[in-house]
Amino acid sequence: MRKKERNLRSLDMRRTLLVTLPFAGALAFWQAYDGIIPLILRDTFHLGDTLAGAVMALDNVCALFLLPFFGSISDRCHSRLGRRTPFILVGSLLAALLIPLLAVADQMQSLPFFFTVLCLLLVVLSSYRSPCVALMPDVTPRPIRAKADAFNSLMAAASGVVILISISLAVPDVEHPNYMPVFLIISAIIVLCTVLFAVFFREKQAVEKMHAESLAMGISEADMDASDEGGKEKETDAVVRRSLLGILLCVFFYFMASNAVTSAFSKYASQVWGAGGGSFANFQLVATMVTLISYMPMANISCRIGRKLTTYIGIGLMCLGGFCIFMTPGYSPLIYVFVSISGVGMGTVATTIYPMIMEVASEKTTGRYTGYYYTASMSAQIITPILSGAVMEFIGYRYLYLYAIVCALLAALPLAMVQKGNTILLKDLELDHSAGELLEAGN
C-alpha cells in the first residue's frame, strides 16, 4: 500500500516532460527577448529607455487581450488532437519561422520592418501560450500540480540556460553585433520541442489517464469535467472570490517587480557593471542555474508548509537580493551571489502562484483561469517597463532594483486575503486502505 501511495503522489515523468516541451520552447524566445530586444532598441534604433519600455510592453498589450481569448477558445475546442494541441502545433511552428526575421530587420536597420515582424510574432505567441500552460493542469491530478509546475519551470529555465550560453558566446562586444545565430538557435529549439511533443504526446489519452489517477485519489469525476461550455460557470463562494482576487493582485505586483528587472537587465548590466556584448548573460546564466536547482526543493517545501508561506519566502528573497544589488553601485564578484538570491526568490513565487490559481479554479475552467492569470501578469508587464524605464532614464539606472523591491513588497500584502488555494499538504495526504481516498487538508 505504501508503494501505491508513493506512486499516486509521484509525477508521471514522461508525460510531464512532454507537456513541458512547448512551454520550454516558447521560453527560449522570451529569454532572448528580454535580453536582446532592449539592446536592439537602444543601439540600432536609438530609442530612449522610456520609449523602449513602451515598445517592450507591446507584447503584454497584445497578450492582455489575446491570452484570455485563446485560453477560452481552447476550452471549447473539440478536435481529434484534443483541446490544446492544435494551438500549440500551429503557433509554435509559425513562431519558429518569424523569429529569425527579427535579426534580418536589425541588420537592415529598418524599424518599420522590425516592428511589423515583432507584432506578428507576439500575436502568434499569444495564440498558444494559454493553451500551452493550461495543458499541464489538464493532464496532472490536483495534489501534484505544484511539482508539475516546478518541473515546467525547470524545463523553461533549462532552455533559458541554452540561450544565455548562446548569447554569451555568439554576441561579440562590437557596435552592431549580428544576432542571427542566437535567433536561429531559438527557432531550432522551438521546432525540436514541437516535433517531440507532436510525435510522442497524445492529449486525449493523457487526459483519460489523469482522470483514472484522480479517481484513485478519491477526486470526483465532476471535478474533472473538461469544458466550461463557453465560460458560463460563475463563482458564488465569497471566500473563493476573495482568495482569487488576492492571488491575482499578488501576481500583478510580482510581475511589476520581476519584469522590471528582466526586461532591462541587459541595459542595466552594460550601464552599471560595464558588461559589453553578450557578457550580461553571464550574470543571468549563474542566477538561472542556481534558480533551476532550487525549483523542485522549493516545490516540495510548498507542499509541506503551504504555498502562501512559501510565496512570502520567495518575495523576501527577491527583496534581499535586490537590496544587495542596489547597495552595490559598481561591478563586484558578489553580484553573482546577489542576482542568484533574487533569481531564487522570483523562481519560488513563479512556482507557487500559478498552482494557487488552479486550486481556486474549477477543473472546468482551467483555460479561462489561466487567461485571468495572464491578464493580471500582462497588465503589470504593460505598465512596469514604462515606469522602470522612466526611473532609469530620469532618476538613474541604480534605482531599478529599488523600484523592484517596492513592487515586491506590494505583492506580499494581498496574500493576507487568500484562504483558498494555499496548498495540499503532503503530511496530511492519507489514502484509505479500502478505497484509496485522498484527503485534501487545509482547503
Side-chain angles (χ1 to χ4, degrees):
M1 189 64 194
R2 290 184 179 275
K3 183 177 180 180
K4 182 179 180 182
E5 291 180 20
R6 286 196 299 269
N7 288 339
L8 286 174
R9 301 178 194 180
S10 300
L11 288 175
D12 181 327
M13 293 307 299
R14 180 183 182 276
R15 179 179 64 195
T16 305
L17 174 63
L18 292 172
V19 167
T20 60
L21 284 175
F23 186 71
L27 264 291
F29 170 74
W30 291 114
Q31 182 69 69
Y33 180 85
D34 285 336
I36 292 178
I37 299 301
L39 297 179
I40 292 176
L41 295 175
R42 184 189 68 181
D43 300 334
T44 302
F45 302 118
H46 309 293
L47 301 186
D49 291 320
T50 306
L51 183 56
V55 175
M56 292 295 291
L58 287 176
D59 67 316
N60 303 302
V61 174
C62 182
L64 178 64
F65 299 101
L66 294 181
L67 290 182
F69 173 75
F70 283 109
S72 180
I73 291 294
S74 69
D75 279 342
R76 303 195 298 269
C77 178
H78 298 287
S79 77
R80 63 183 183 84
L81 295 177
R83 294 193 293 168
R84 321 296 183 187
T85 299
F87 295 89
I88 292 171
L89 297 182
V90 175
S92 58
L93 293 178
L94 286 175
L97 292 173
L98 287 169
I99 287 170
L101 296 180
L102 292 174
V104 174
D106 174 56
Q107 288 298 304
M108 293 172 58
Q109 300 188 34
S110 171
L111 183 58
F113 183 31
F114 181 85
F115 188 76
T116 300
V117 173
L118 184 62
C119 289
L120 287 173
L121 180 58
L122 296 178
V123 171
V124 168
L125 288 167
S126 297
S127 72
Y128 80 96
R129 188 186 289 190
S130 280
C132 182
V133 176
L135 185 58
M136 184 276 288
D138 282 350
V139 300
T140 307
R142 281 178 178 262
I144 55 176
R145 282 184 185 162
K147 290 184 177 182
D149 196 59
F151 189 83
N152 196 25
S153 299
L154 187 150
M155 287 294 295
S159 69
V161 166
V162 175
I163 299 307
L164 288 172
I165 293 173
S166 301
I167 293 172
S168 179
L169 296 177
V171 179
D173 186 5
V174 296
E175 184 176 353
H176 192 202
N178 184 2
Y179 296 108
M180 180 61 78
V182 176
F183 285 129
L184 287 176
I185 291 172
I186 295 169
S187 291
I189 290 174
I190 292 176
V191 170
L192 177 62
C193 290
T194 304
V195 169
L196 290 174
F197 174 82
V199 171
F200 295 106
F201 183 78
R202 297 293 180 269
E203 182 181 338
K204 288 189 174 182
Q205 289 88 329
V207 171
E208 291 173 0
K209 184 177 180 182
M210 183 277 290
H211 280 215
E213 292 169 351
S214 297
L215 288 173
M217 293 176 175
I219 300 173
S220 68
E221 187 71 32
D223 288 333
M224 296 179 287
D225 287 344
S227 177
D228 183 23
E229 297 300 328
K232 297 178 180 179
E233 183 177 289
K234 305 297 180 183
E235 183 56 64
T236 58
D237 189 322
V239 174
V240 172
R241 291 202 306 269
R242 186 166 58 249
S243 296
L244 177 61
L245 176 61
I247 297 169
L248 291 175
L249 286 172
C250 179
V251 168
F252 177 83
F253 286 111
Y254 162 72
F255 278 97
M256 286 284 288
S258 63
N259 187 254
V261 173
T262 58
S263 64
F265 186 85
S266 58
K267 294 193 295 185
Y268 182 94
S270 64
Q271 185 75 21
V272 179
W273 301 330
S279 61
F280 73 88
N282 295 332
F283 299 103
Q284 292 181 301
L285 180 60
V286 172
T288 302
M289 291 295 292
V290 174
T291 303
L292 189 151
I293 295 170
S294 73
Y295 276 131
M296 295 308 293
M298 295 308 292
N300 286 327
I301 288 173
S302 74
C303 290
R304 296 186 181 279
I305 68 173
R307 294 184 185 124
K308 188 161 82 170
L309 181 56
T310 307
T311 303
Y312 279 127
I313 293 172
I315 291 172
L317 291 173
M318 290 173 63
C319 293
L320 175 61
F323 181 74
C324 291
I325 293 172
F326 173 70
M327 296 300 292
T328 309
Y331 172 77
S332 166
L334 288 174
I335 290 173
Y336 288 97
V337 177
F338 301 153
V339 295
S340 296
I341 292 172
S342 179
V344 170
M346 287 191 281
T348 297
V349 179
T351 298
T352 57
I353 202 71
Y354 180 68
M356 290 176 74
I357 290 282
M358 288 296 97
E359 285 301 317
V360 171
S362 163
E363 285 286 335
K364 300 177 181 180
T365 56
T366 54
R368 184 154 57 94
Y369 276 66
T370 296
Y372 291 162
Y373 169 85
Y374 276 111
T375 298
S377 64
M378 294 304 164
S379 297
Q381 292 175 92
I382 290 170
I383 299 169
T384 202
I386 302 172
L387 290 182
S388 61
V391 167
M392 291 188 294
E393 186 171 358
F394 299 112
I395 302 177
Y397 270 73
R398 273 195 64 208
Y399 291 89
L400 171 66
Y401 275 91
L402 189 60
Y403 167 91
I405 290 170
V406 172
C407 293
L409 291 174
L410 290 174
L413 298 180
L415 283 177
M417 302 167 58
V418 178
Q419 295 174 265
K420 292 284 187 178
N422 181 26
T423 193
I424 299 173
L425 300 178
L426 284 181
K427 67 181 181 180
D428 293 326
L429 295 181
E430 297 179 2
L431 290 170
D432 183 86
H433 289 286
S434 59
E437 179 181 6
L438 186 68
L439 302 178
E440 294 188 9
N443 281 331

